[in-house]
Amino acid sequence: MTESLKLPVGIEDFAEIRQAGFYYVDKTKFIEQLLDGWGKVNLFTRPRRFGKTLNMSMLRYFFEIGADASLFDGLQIAKNKKLCEEYQGKYPVIFLSFKNVEGLNFADAQYRLAELIAGEAERFAFLAQSDKLTENDQSLYCGLTAVREGRYALADEVLVSALQLLSKLLSKHYGQKTIILLDEYDVPLDKAFQNGYYKEMVSLIRGMLGQALKTNEFLQFAVLTGCLRVSKESIFTGLNNFKVLSITDNRFDEQF
């Protein structure tokens, strides 16, 4: 009698599921589809509990430099040797989930966002001493992770360009363009609408995504997920090669 696998209830980290022997429905075809149907910026809108975060985690572990390639042993993507040789473990990856970016006022939500980006920047502490970066670049990196009186001290004017800056520093260090993964991008806007600071948050998110996704020469590609597409005051104005893949789009229906 074969041993039954554990069910990964509430677990959204791909590496944890694979390493701990949880049941996993193979969604790695998503990687092939994403690369074959190329889009510079891809937005997937799906209801909650459709596997968005787990798929984003899977993308991170596949593309990120230094990730454990054995996580994909026995899965469908591993059969595509050519694709794996070309893409697996070849890119710096920025992975952010906006699910906790909220607050009763704009200042609180803005700090949650700064805290999130600073925490992700700290994963790349080697940038502070990278010999591939100039002293100015190293100083800019330290500005992303600075702490003052027990709080991250990321300046408001720097926050808007923080994603673009981090992707630039990673690209210069590795000599390879950066992949940006943004999960639940719409949560800060939804919470802002509920608590009366929607205009301020739209301005911040529009500026941040504009710099990171529109005019960023250091971007390889980006994937965003959320429940809704924000359209009234579009934060995606001017994006080239921008693809919206909603629940009515059948191109990725087996992966979500």
Side-chain angles (χ1 to χ4, degrees), residues 8 14 17 22-28 54-55 58 75 254:
F14 178 77
I17 287 175
F22 285 101
Y23 190 82
Y24 175 68
V25 178
D26 191 345
K27 301 290 187 180
T28 55
L54 179 55
N55 275 348
M58 177 190 68
L75 298 180
E254 293 184 5

Side-chain angles (χ1 to χ4, degrees), residues 99-252:
K99 66 180 179 180
N100 293 320
V101 178
E102 59 177 292
L104 296 178
N105 56 64
F106 177 64
D108 288 347
Q110 184 183 37
Y111 180 73
R112 293 280 86 79
L113 184 57
E115 186 178 49
L116 177 67
I117 293 175
E120 176 67 359
E122 285 186 334
R123 285 207 302 128
F124 312 107
F126 53 82
L127 292 175
Q129 298 178 327
S130 171
D131 58 5
K132 303 292 179 60
L133 303 182
T134 66
E135 289 186 9
N136 284 342
D137 287 335
Q138 293 172 359
S139 179
L140 287 169
Y141 170 76
C142 291
L144 293 177
T145 58
V147 174
R148 187 179 302 116
E149 297 180 355
R151 287 169 57 93
Y152 286 109
L154 186 59
D156 293 351
E157 60 272 18
V158 176
L159 181 57
V160 173
S161 59
L163 267 182
Q164 190 273 342
L165 174 59
L166 185 55
S167 68
K168 172 185 173 181
L169 298 178
L170 286 168
S171 181
K172 292 178 72 172
H173 175 82
Y174 285 112
Q176 182 65 275
K177 290 186 177 182
T178 304
I179 293 172
I180 297 178
L181 306 175
L182 300 180
D183 191 34
E184 301 201 50
Y185 87 98
D186 54 332
V187 168
L189 298 161
D190 178 47
K191 299 298 183 181
F193 181 77
Q194 294 178 33
N195 290 293
Y197 54 90
Y198 183 73
K199 289 184 178 180
E200 294 91 334
M201 185 57 74
V202 163
S203 178
L204 173 57
I205 297 296
R206 182 194 292 125
M208 179 178 292
L209 297 189
Q211 292 201 35
L213 307 180
K214 293 181 193 176
T215 57
N216 188 358
E217 62 181 294
F218 305 100
L219 176 69
Q220 179 69 17
F221 68 84
V223 180
L224 290 75
T225 66
C227 292
L228 303 169
R229 180 182 179 184
V230 178
S231 59
K232 183 179 179 181
E233 295 180 77
S234 177
I235 60 176
F236 302 114
T237 304
L239 274 179
N240 296 322
N241 301 320
F242 177 65
K243 297 173 68 174
V244 179
L245 300 125
S246 71
I247 197 169
T248 61
D249 194 307
N250 62 10
R251 283 174 289 179
F252 293 85

